[in-house]
Structure formats: structure tokens, C-alpha cells
Amino acid sequence: MAEQTYVELNNGTKIPQFGLGVYMIQGDGQTAKAVKDALDLGYRHIDTAHAYQNERGVGQGIKESGLKREDVWITSKLWPTDYDDPETAIDKMLDRLGTDYIDLLLLHQQVGNYLNAYKGMEKALKEGKVRSIGISNFDGERLDDIIEHSEVKPMVMQVEMHPYYQQKALKEKMKPYGTKFESWYPLGHGDAGLMNESIFTKLAKKYGKTNAQIILRWHIQEENIVFPKTTNPQHMRDNIDIFDFELTDEEMAEINKLDSGKRYYNASLAQQEQFVNYHPAD
């Protein structure tokens, strides 16, 4: 299996472009197993969050893999209830993960005291507790607020992104800051309409891959960072088996024509504000 690719952030750090997402993997035991299985298969990036309630499992899985800490990229996210006291929240996160630094720390949602939290992440960056920082699910005025008041511009933006919703305008907006993009719902929430688009079926046949592998390969060539979630070792193996072929410019252009603005998550800002009522356990 060919080695995976990396994307360079605006501070010169190189982030593995492909990883495992552990959203909705229940419990530390199951998470640890999934993380170890993924690392055994060559994954080097794990995406978690305080809200996922499985950071301890991520740390356990990394330890069980036998890999050196510096060979595994850990991304995690502060939840809005962490925003009032980010310094304490980051220290607790380090303890849960069983590490003395986090490779990438994001603000999870654009609600609560997010400016205070971002300042706290900038401080953690200077102290070496965090190696890179960014934001997730920010847009509009609240994104402008972060850009205007930050000393360190977001290195990474994590958002819903797939062939139906390619985030071209947002990418263009963040281009001056060198912000790189991570995709959640990279396969469109598994939507059969997207997965079975004729272009993917045609290319899957041409390259001897699955439709999902074609979509993931498109992400890689778009310079998106992706981490599809699965606990199935065979699916993990299939997902990462996308580095031994390359789509042509013409094929990429054809896929890009699918961009229709269709998204699968449509919570209003008022609905997002409700997130501050959820307090994940430490």
C-alpha cells in the first residue's frame, strides 16, 4: 500500500491528510481497539473531541500501538462549555489523552465564549501544549470575529464537505490566511444518491476501486484532510487504500461539477446555541 500524503499548515507543520474519525464510537475500550487497528494499518491521524467522550480510549489505543507519540497526529476539540476556562480545559484534555501536547486543537462550535477560548488556544500554542490551532463549524460574522481578533489565524477549518457541498466560497475566503480544510461527512453522510453518482461508478470500474474510494481520492487531490469513521478493520483497510492511483484533471473537473450546495447538517444558529447546555464529562 502506497504511503499516505501530508498537507503543510501555515506554520510549516505537516499534517497527515488521511485519518480515523472516532465520532460516535462508544466507550474507551471500543475506541482504543479502533485506534490501534487503524494505526496497525498505517493510519497516522486520529480525530477526536471532548464532546465525543472517548479521548481516553484514543490515548490508550495509541499506547497499545507501540508507536512513538511523535508518529501519531492527534486532533481534538474544545466544547463550548470549555470556552470560559480554556486553560483548565486543555490541561484536562491532555490528561485524558495521556499526552503532554496536542497536535491540533479546534474550537468545536461557534457558540459560547469563543473569542476567550481562541485566546486560550493561542496561549497554549506559545506554551507548547498545542502544536497547531483552528476552528470547526464557524461561518459568517462569528468567523469574521475570529479572524479580526486573533493573533494566530486559524491553521485549520473543519466543516461539512463532500462533492455535493465543496465549500469553494469558504475556501476562497480563508485562502489569504493559508487555512487548510478538514472534511466531516466526507462521503455525504453515506447518502446513496451521492455514493451512486454515475461518475463514481464509472471511475470505480476504471481504477478497480469502490465508489467510496473514488470520493476519498477526490478529497485527497482537492487537498482536503479526511478521516472517515469506522470500527470495521476491513472498511478501515479499504478507506486508506487510495494512494496507489490518481484521478486525472478531467476526472476531477467532472466531479467538481457535482457541487450543488446540498448539505446534510442544517442546524440554525439558534439551534447551535443549545449546544452550551450540554456538558460533557471530564
Side-chain angles (χ1 to χ4, degrees), residues 71-202:
D71 291 336
V72 182
W73 182 284
I74 299 175
T75 294
S76 197
K77 310 172 196 77
L78 292 176
W79 190 248
T81 49
D82 297 325
Y83 292 179
D84 288 330
D85 186 4
E87 187 165 7
T88 298
I90 291 168
D91 285 343
K92 287 181 177 180
M93 183 176 282
L94 290 167
D95 184 62
R96 289 192 298 268
L97 288 164
T99 183
D100 56 4
Y101 71 93
I102 298 163
D103 295 280
L104 171 62
L105 186 60
L106 307 175
L107 297 185
H108 205 155
Q109 302 287 352
Q110 60 175 352
V111 295
N113 197 358
Y114 57 86
L115 281 180
N116 182 68
Y118 199 86
K119 292 294 182 187
M121 292 201 307
E122 289 179 326
K123 182 172 183 286
L125 186 67
K126 290 175 182 174
E127 293 172 346
K129 293 179 181 180
V130 173
R131 299 286 174 88
S132 49
I133 60 175
I135 52 182
S136 179
N137 304 312
F138 274 71
D139 57 22
E141 293 179 357
R142 300 189 180 200
L143 172 57
D144 293 339
D145 213 13
I146 289 282
I147 293 170
E148 182 181 349
H149 294 99
S150 59
E151 182 182 333
V152 179
K153 303 310 173 190
M155 300 173 187
V156 170
M157 167 79 89
Q158 187 177 125
V159 287
E160 177 179 348
M161 189 161 47
H162 41 75
Y164 281 168
Y165 194 60
Q166 296 177 25
Q167 296 279 13
K168 289 176 181 174
L170 191 56
K171 281 186 168 183
E172 197 61 32
K173 179 185 179 77
M174 301 305 292
K175 199 172 184 179
Y177 313 109
T179 304
K180 298 301 182 184
F181 278 74
E182 294 184 332
S183 162
W184 54 262
Y185 283 177
L187 300 174
H189 203 31
D191 175 37
L194 173 63
M195 298 290 287
N196 294 316
E197 283 281 355
S198 59
I199 177 63
F200 301 133
T201 302
K202 180 179 78 172

Side-chain angles (χ1 to χ4, degrees), residues 29-45:
Q30 191 178 4
T31 302
K33 183 182 184 307
V35 168
K36 183 180 183 300
D37 287 345
L39 295 174
D40 287 347
L41 288 168
Y43 285 66
R44 291 296 179 265
H45 182 171

Side-chain angles (χ1 to χ4, degrees), residues 254-265:
E254 197 171 346
I255 295 171
N256 287 342
K257 290 176 185 174
L258 294 175
D259 193 13
S260 62
K262 179 179 179 179
R263 59 192 302 179
Y264 298 91
Y265 181 78

